[in-house]
Amino acid sequence: MLSSRKHFSSVKEVLKFTYPKLHKGKSWYVDSISKITERRKRASELVGNS
């Protein structure tokens, strides 16, 4: 039997979505994460550092 309660965590993540922005200058970069701690966490995941 299926549970009557549904988990909406994936919906919550979609609602937090922001479009990436390209910043041009001496160094180009793309951002879409507003909180600095979340940016650092994601950067570590992308670079492969723990």
Side-chain angles (χ1 to χ4, degrees), residues 17-21 31-32:
F17 177 80
T18 59
Y19 285 98
K21 296 175 188 172
D31 75 359
S32 66

Side-chain angles (χ1 to χ4, degrees), residues 9-50:
S9 60
S10 60
V11 173
K12 189 175 182 181
E13 291 300 317
V14 171
L15 295 176
K16 290 182 181 179
F17 177 80
T18 59
Y19 285 98
K21 296 175 188 172
L22 174 62
H23 298 271
K24 298 178 184 179
K26 186 174 182 179
S27 298
W28 287 30
Y29 66 96
V30 176
D31 75 359
S32 66
I33 303 170
S34 59
K35 293 183 180 180
I36 292 173
T37 54
E38 289 298 317
R39 277 187 266 173
R40 288 181 177 148
K41 180 181 174 184
R42 182 68 179 137
S44 293
E45 291 171 358
L46 293 171
V47 174
N49 300 333
S50 296

